[in-house]
Amino acid sequence: GAVVSQHPSWVICKSGTSVKIECRSLDFQATTMFWYRQFPKQSLMLMATSNEGSKATYEQGVEKDKFLINHASLTLSTLTVTSAHPEDSSFYICSCLTGIGGYTFGSGTRLTVV
Amino acid sequence: DAKTTQPPSMDCAEGRAANLPCNHSTISGNEYVYWYRQIHSQGPQYIIHGLKNNETNEMASLIITEDRKSSTLILPHATLRDTAVYYCIVRVAGGNAGNMLTFGGGTRLMVKP
């Protein structure tokens, strides 16, 4: 089945620094990838939709200059949290739309900003 | 996409069947019912989906009412590892860009020994 690898699984960074999270589709090409954020005891909230070779589409209230998304190839999308602050601490999850119309999720990245 | 309503939490005894309900009274004719689950600190995992017929796979069974306004996910013999948040999502199938999954609150299933 379709496998999505997300890296790192957890990261701790200092306030003001930037963090990059990678999402790779290992055995299929993912034209479309989605980035979600999940705060403790809450559901997943869509942040943005990423299409290979074009600019990402951000959900209302998500700052595109703060959460930089790059989808430069059919197997890799990256989310960079720029100038991270403690309120950005969250669980970030990517999802890929597989060729057969299904969705496969990465294992998530736990970001802690101190 | 149609809205879904699920109970926030349920308990189930280990070895028993877990029946998780979902209401989707505004579902459209071309919308499927998808079920995903999320074990703590992991990404969501696909379980099953269906349109109008009941479906079964190695993980679970999906029972959809004839009017399609509700469905039930059945885990036939729940184990402790089935403790997770279960999400019922209704959406059109297909791989069009922009067709993201929208998650509601889900049901937190606790399987107890």
Side-chain angles (χ1 to χ4, degrees), chain A residues 4-110:
Chain A
V4 174
S5 173
Q6 188 172 340
H7 179 81
S9 56
W10 61 270
V11 58
I12 302 173
C13 72
K14 290 186 177 181
S15 187
T17 61
S18 296
V19 173
K20 180 184 284 189
I21 302 169
E22 292 187 350
C23 181
R24 293 181 184 273
S25 58
L26 296 187
D27 51 0
F28 66 100
Q29 293 183 330
T31 305
T32 303
M33 293 186 179
F34 307 97
W35 287 96
Y36 292 84
R37 179 169 54 182
Q38 185 176 33
F39 293 106
K41 296 187 186 287
Q42 295 186 23
S43 189
L44 285 78
M45 296 297 296
L46 181 69
M47 298 176 67
T49 301
S50 160
N51 292 299
E52 186 267 337
S54 63
K55 291 184 178 180
T57 302
Y58 290 81
E59 295 300 300
Q60 191 172 8
V62 178
E63 300 174 57
K64 62 179 181 181
D65 295 330
K66 181 171 182 59
F67 298 99
L68 301 179
I69 291 173
N70 184 283
H71 193 161
S73 78
L74 287 170
T75 59
L76 174 65
S77 176
T78 61
L79 168 67
T80 301
V81 183
T82 63
S83 186
H85 291 286
E87 57 265 31
D88 299 322
S89 298
S90 189
F91 192 53
Y92 293 86
I93 308 167
C94 70
S95 172
C96 297
L97 191 61
T98 66
I100 54 175
Y103 303 83
T104 300
F105 289 81
S107 54
T109 297
R110 174 81 54 198

Side-chain angles (χ1 to χ4, degrees), chain B residues 1-46:
Chain B
D1 297 333
K3 180 180 170 57
T4 62
T5 304
Q6 298 177 253
S9 64
M10 289 182 64
D11 289 345
C12 176
E14 186 179 19
R16 297 284 189 151
N19 298 302
L20 292 91
C22 180
N23 285 321
H24 32 78
S25 58
T26 61
I27 191 170
S28 299
N30 62 346
E31 289 183 313
Y32 285 69
V33 180
Y34 286 81
W35 282 85
Y36 283 77
R37 73 179 182 184
Q38 186 180 24
I39 295 170
H40 183 63
S41 293
Q42 296 183 23
Q45 175 190 24
Y46 167 82

Side-chain angles (χ1 to χ4, degrees), chain B residues 31-68:
Chain B
E31 289 183 313
Y32 285 69
V33 180
Y34 286 81
W35 282 85
Y36 283 77
R37 73 179 182 184
Q38 186 180 24
I39 295 170
H40 183 63
S41 293
Q42 296 183 23
Q45 175 190 24
Y46 167 82
I47 301 174
I48 199 167
H49 76 284
L51 182 63
K52 50 185 173 182
N53 295 325
N54 297 338
E55 302 287 344
T56 295
N57 62 20
E58 65 278 6
M59 289 183 69
S61 294
L62 173 60
I63 307 298
I64 303 174
T65 58
E66 194 169 340
D67 63 7
R68 302 209 322 123

